[in-house]
Amino acid sequence: MSAQSSNANAPSRELLEKLFRTAYKIRVFETEGIKLYRQGLIRGYFHPYLGQEGIATGVCAALKDGDYIASTHRGHGHCIAWGASINKMVAELLQKDTGYCRGYGGSMHIADIKAGNLGANGIVGAGTPLGVGAALASQVKGSDAVTVTFTTDGASNNGTFMESLNLAAIWNLAFVLVVENNQYAVSTKIEESTREVDLYKRGLAIGVESYQVDGNDSLAVYNMTKDAVEKCRRGEGPILIEAKTYRHMGHHVNDPGKYMPADRLAYYKERDPVDRARAALTEMSGIDQSEIDAIENEIRQEFEAAVEFSKASGEVTIAEFREFAAAY
Amino acid sequence: MARELMYRDALREAIDEEMERDSSVFIIGEGIAERGGSYKVTEGLLDKYGPKRVRDTPIAEAGMIGVGVGAAIAGARPIVEILYVDFAMLGMDMLVNQAAKFRLMTGGDGRVPFVMRTQGGTGGGVAAQHSQSLEALFYHIPGLQVVMPSVPADAKGLLKYALRQQDPVMFLEHKHLYMTKGMVPDGEHIIEFGKGDIKRPGKDVTIIAWSNMIPRALEAAAKLAEEGIDAEVLDPRTLVPLDKAMILTSVAKTNRVVIAQEAVRRGGVASDIASIIQAEAFYDLDAPIEIVAGLNIPVPFNLELEKASVPQVDDIVVAARRTLHAKPFALAAE
């Protein structure tokens, strides 16, 4: 059931601009975030989504309010694509009270329950059962919400990958499992962690409609997700989408990623998802360069403002923390 | 008014009433739908509520616990029945790293109204992987509430309360208690967490026990009464939160304590309760605190050895006698 994308209907300028804006916003967040990390302003771990922007961008554009997403260990991109506040994201990374989790969660735990973002996860693969659970809750409540869990090639060898996808299958849940195959589990390349590197086939093995898509093509990801989501809303879920991509650097900021072959990295950088989203917008919408520049400027300024906002924000006080702890 | 019910029927009533009251309550587990569960707790619920809310699962504990936690995060009220507490070990990531952490990691926004029902303890020679008392594992993890009812009325009242909680509940039943009977109040019967129960009032020694150790503690108290020793039997009912006030009040009255648990002694809940008493009621004690607990060994299959591996009535009696015959502390003034 492998299929490549097709642009049957000409995409609107609105959609193309949205895809580019999202992809670019993720790129800025990650590249500027790395700088803040290097300056010592961000503590802990920071796993950049660089190179994978096309996936979160395309998937989230195909969802609507009331739907759910569950994210991965590398979750910033999903939050941004889901429409998160950059102010609250930066504030969380700077461990401030104004952050999404008031500085209690950090990079690996940004969540926004009210908005349907079930969060990133410090445990690789744990988002899959949680996402299936959200889809189950929707079915029990009679809601038409669709849940997308982003997971990864690294997580696909964890038992809960098949356990929970199988539950989604036997219960026909409105659930889309997006497997971001960036070809590395920390530093172990996919060929060393599985004999079958086309991960969509795992879904086929348990009767789940499954596809493969170029994860660096946000428009293709969007089109495929849109079809999957429509099927889920008709009760024809779950669906698995494997999106193939490649990280642009090591596992986290302090991992130089020397194990990644230069020619392979170069191959994927030539297919940079942000450049492709920009090119699609330019070529298909007739937008001119000054408008592109204006969009990029606006996004950069939004990030700068978020840094200022976060620096000016306070942290949770020890007294408030003790109160929280007493009630836990 | 009250009726006599079996522990398992009291549990079923609680689930039934809460499913009736709140349409977001649902239950999943192995063999719980058509078969009604191995211990018949969920019998009849499928007919009443249909397959959307009463679902059988494959044998995949990590997946099903995780799915339950996810459903709770998304605003439903799942009950996940795990056949034996031993099998909950397969889902520990979902309990320890997900359910227990979620509220903190979201800065207080995210709540997990999740109930895991399972059973543990010894009885009937079901051997090492079906006989454990693992409450200390859950007790240790901040964010998990731990409930261990000993009688039908408590089972019903506590389960109903559990199904109205915002935070995850480990509801630990005992395989030997399902067929035991007791009076259960008519009408709405809810027991708040953190409120222990004095199962037998007394003045000479406090016996703290829970789950299947309660019937043994009561039998021990009856034997002690024949010797003229008046034992008070406390059932905290919920280990997290723990009713410290009830314990400290009783210790102030009796000045002697026996704590009885079926779980192995090392790293157990009894040791923690003892540490609380020594820290907060040291000067009320007239004798060292006695802990009666399971041996530090997996539970053997052989019935006599199984029995020898966990506390019996006489172990509690002997421990209580020791607290009474121990010399009081010498007073400096004497």
Side-chain angles (χ1 to χ4, degrees), chain A residues 68 92 100-102 104-106 109 111-114 118-119 121 123 125-134 136-137 139-142 160 163-164 166-167 170-171 173 321 324 327-328, chain B residues 23-26 28 52-53 55-58 60-64 66-71 73-76 93-94 97-110 142-143 167:
Chain A
Y68 291 100
E92 186 60 28
Y100 265 111
C101 314
R102 306 185 66 202
Y104 284 100
H109 305 296
D112 186 0
I113 308 308
K114 290 183 196 83
L118 305 177
N121 214 299
I123 306 295
T128 307
L130 299 180
V132 172
L136 175 58
Q139 192 186 66
V140 168
K141 289 193 279 191
T160 56
E163 285 190 27
S164 44
N166 186 52
L167 287 172
I170 58 173
W171 293 334
L173 298 182
F321 169 63
F324 189 89
Y328 205 79
Chain B
S23 63
S24 73
V25 177
F26 68 99
I28 66 173
K52 206 175 198 179
R53 294 176 67 196
R55 303 182 187 224
D56 281 332
T57 61
E61 280 77 9
M64 61 203 260
V67 164
V69 173
I73 289 171
D93 170 58
M94 290 296 146
N97 294 323
Q98 311 300 330
K101 305 289 187 284
F102 199 69
R103 183 174 164 197
L104 175 123
M105 294 193 312
T106 55
D109 274 359
D167 300 310

Side-chain angles (χ1 to χ4, degrees), chain B:
Chain B
M1 289 297 288
R3 300 145 298 141
E4 188 173 64
L5 283 183
M6 275 200 284
Y7 187 87
R8 69 184 188 194
D9 298 329
L11 290 165
R12 185 188 314 112
E13 269 196 7
I15 298 169
D16 189 0
E17 287 176 18
E18 292 306 296
M19 286 185 80
E20 180 96 53
R21 192 185 64 82
D22 179 350
S23 63
S24 73
V25 177
F26 68 99
I27 181 159
I28 66 173
E30 291 156 9
I32 59 115
E34 200 179 332
R35 183 168 173 236
S38 285
Y39 291 92
K40 302 291 169 210
V41 171
T42 52
E43 209 166 44
L45 296 177
L46 174 66
D47 289 342
K48 190 163 175 190
Y49 297 102
K52 206 175 198 179
R53 294 176 67 196
V54 183
R55 303 182 187 224
D56 281 332
T57 61
I59 298 173
E61 280 77 9
M64 61 203 260
I65 293 174
V67 164
V69 173
I73 289 171
R77 288 198 167 271
I79 305 169
V80 175
E81 180 180 305
I82 298 293
L83 204 42
Y84 287 80
V85 72
D86 317 70
F87 310 163
M89 299 303 98
L90 292 150
M92 281 304 255
D93 170 58
M94 290 296 146
L95 298 171
V96 175
N97 294 323
Q98 311 300 330
K101 305 289 187 284
F102 199 69
R103 183 174 164 197
L104 175 123
M105 294 193 312
T106 55
D109 274 359
R111 303 301 283 266
V112 187
F114 165 82
V115 176
M116 180 182 85
R117 278 188 48 244
T118 187
Q119 56 83 20
T122 57
V126 288
Q129 294 170 339
H130 290 67
S131 301
Q132 298 175 84
S133 300
L134 297 173
E135 61 265 29
L137 297 185
F138 306 117
Y139 180 88
H140 184 71
I141 302 300
L144 299 179
Q145 301 170 94
V146 183
V147 183
M148 297 193 78
S150 65
V151 294
D154 293 353
K156 180 175 180 185
L158 292 166
L159 186 52
K160 281 176 70 79
Y161 189 78
L163 288 167
R164 301 178 186 198
Q165 285 297 291
Q166 290 302 308
D167 300 310
V169 178
M170 305 293 103
F171 200 92
L172 308 178
E173 299 153 15
H174 195 288
K175 57 173 68 64
H176 245 194
L177 292 174
Y178 285 117
M179 309 274 277
T180 59
K181 289 177 178 171
M183 298 306 282
V184 177
D186 289 334
E188 187 83 321
H189 172 59
I190 294 175
I191 299 169
E192 214 178 303
F193 290 177
K195 305 270 184 224
D197 187 40
I198 300 173
K199 292 283 188 259
R200 181 194 192 280
K203 59 178 173 35
D204 295 331
V205 56
T206 298
I207 303 173
I208 304 167
W210 51 91
S211 190
N212 195 40
M213 277 298 125
I214 285 292
R216 289 183 194 172
L218 289 171
E219 219 180 307
K223 282 192 169 185
L224 289 163
E226 288 166 16
E227 302 171 18
I229 299 169
D230 187 15
E232 175 148 294
V233 177
L234 303 186
D235 182 357
R237 304 194 287 203
T238 60
L239 298 179
V240 182
L242 182 68
D243 188 349
K244 269 183 9 181
M246 174 186 73
I247 293 170
L248 298 175
T249 303
S250 180
V251 174
K253 179 168 69 172
T254 65
N255 313 114
R256 293 167 175 86
V257 182
V258 175
I259 311 172
Q261 69 179 20
E262 189 167 343
V264 300
R265 171 160 181 153
R266 188 166 57 222
V269 175
S271 301
D272 195 54
I273 293 175
S275 82
I276 292 168
I277 295 169
Q278 77 81 25
E280 301 190 33
F282 183 74
Y283 297 104
D284 287 330
L285 290 173
D286 281 347
I289 298 167
E290 289 281 337
I291 292 178
V292 182
L295 301 181
N296 293 324
I297 190 171
V299 173
F301 168 58
N302 175 297
L303 276 177
E304 286 309 306
L305 300 182
E306 177 190 66
K307 219 172 144 189
S309 72
V310 298
Q312 303 297 321
V313 173
D314 284 344
D315 299 315
I316 301 172
V317 169
V318 168
R321 278 190 200 133
R322 261 200 306 266
T323 65
L324 281 145
H325 298 152
K327 286 181 183 160
F329 297 114
L331 295 175
E334 286 178 355

Side-chain angles (χ1 to χ4, degrees), chain A:
Chain A
M1 266 187 263
S2 172
Q4 285 301 313
S5 66
S6 67
N7 302 338
N9 306 314
S12 67
R13 147 122 190 213
E14 191 192 356
L15 172 65
L16 293 165
E17 185 176 325
K18 184 178 184 180
L19 294 176
F20 170 63
R21 275 179 176 274
T22 305
Y24 189 76
K25 197 182 274 195
I26 299 170
R27 177 63 52 91
V28 168
F29 187 93
E30 299 296 54
T31 48
E32 296 301 312
I34 291 167
K35 289 180 196 161
L36 294 177
Y37 188 91
R38 302 245 186 264
Q39 289 164 27
L41 287 168
I42 297 175
R43 311 288 285 275
Y45 285 118
F46 189 111
H47 303 87
Y49 196 62
L50 295 172
Q52 304 181 209
E53 294 91 339
I55 304 169
T57 295
V59 168
C60 291
L63 296 171
K64 65 173 191 183
D65 284 352
D67 290 339
Y68 291 100
I69 61 162
S71 173
T72 66
H73 211 69
R74 193 177 299 289
H76 304 159
H78 310 118
C79 281
I80 294 167
W82 192 239
S85 146
I86 302 299
N87 276 5
K88 291 175 84 169
M89 285 184 70
V90 174
E92 186 60 28
L93 295 184
L94 268 58
Q95 60 201 16
K96 297 304 178 86
D97 192 21
T98 51
Y100 265 111
C101 314
R102 306 185 66 202
Y104 284 100
S107 166
M108 283 183 286
H109 305 296
I110 296 178
D112 186 0
I113 308 308
K114 290 183 196 83
N117 176 359
L118 305 177
N121 214 299
I123 306 295
V124 170
T128 307
L130 299 180
V132 172
L136 175 58
S138 299
Q139 192 186 66
V140 168
K141 289 193 279 191
S143 139
D144 79 336
V146 173
T147 301
V148 171
T149 288
F150 295 94
T151 190
T152 61
D153 55 305
S156 68
N157 295 312
N158 183 286
T160 56
F161 179 94
M162 290 305 261
E163 285 190 27
S164 44
L165 184 59
N166 186 52
L167 287 172
I170 58 173
W171 293 334
N172 304 316
L173 298 182
F175 177 70
V176 181
L177 186 59
V178 175
V179 184
E180 300 191 352
N181 186 352
N182 72 11
Q183 310 182 45
Y184 285 94
V186 187
S187 60
T188 303
K189 53 177 169 293
I190 186 161
E191 293 84 354
E192 290 168 0
S193 46
T194 176
R195 187 184 276 192
E196 176 51 74
V197 299
D198 287 327
L199 297 174
Y200 74 93
K201 291 178 184 170
R202 294 191 179 191
L204 299 178
I206 55 169
V208 172
E209 204 173 312
S210 303
Y211 301 94
Q212 194 175 57
V213 69
D214 177 354
N216 284 18
D217 180 348
S218 54
L219 187 58
V221 173
Y222 167 81
N223 284 326
M224 190 171 278
T225 310
K226 195 165 169 287
D227 288 347
V229 166
E230 279 165 10
K231 279 182 184 161
C232 282
R233 288 203 217 282
R234 290 198 300 266
E236 296 164 24
I239 289 170
L240 184 155
I241 297 173
E242 178 196 2
K244 234 167 195 150
T245 186
Y246 206 70
R247 275 182 348 218
H248 279 189
M249 55 183 293
H251 176 56
H252 54 59
V253 175
N254 294 326
D255 171 13
K258 284 184 180 153
Y259 46 83
M260 302 169 79
D263 55 341
R264 206 158 178 195
L265 185 57
Y267 172 89
Y268 280 97
K269 281 195 169 177
E270 276 167 29
R271 288 152 185 81
D272 183 300
V274 180
D275 291 346
R276 285 173 76 176
R278 188 190 290 105
L281 174 60
T282 311
E283 287 158 22
M284 291 191 245
S285 77
I287 192 171
D288 61 45
Q289 186 57 40
S290 65
E291 287 175 279
I292 299 267
D293 292 344
I295 291 169
E296 294 187 358
N297 256 330
E298 185 196 316
I299 288 168
R300 289 187 173 277
Q301 280 168 14
E302 185 185 358
F303 186 83
E304 289 311 317
V307 173
E308 292 315 310
F309 165 81
S310 302
K311 283 180 177 169
S313 297
E315 295 176 18
V316 169
T317 65
I318 301 296
E320 283 173 306
F321 169 63
R322 291 206 168 123
E323 210 173 294
F324 189 89
Y328 205 79

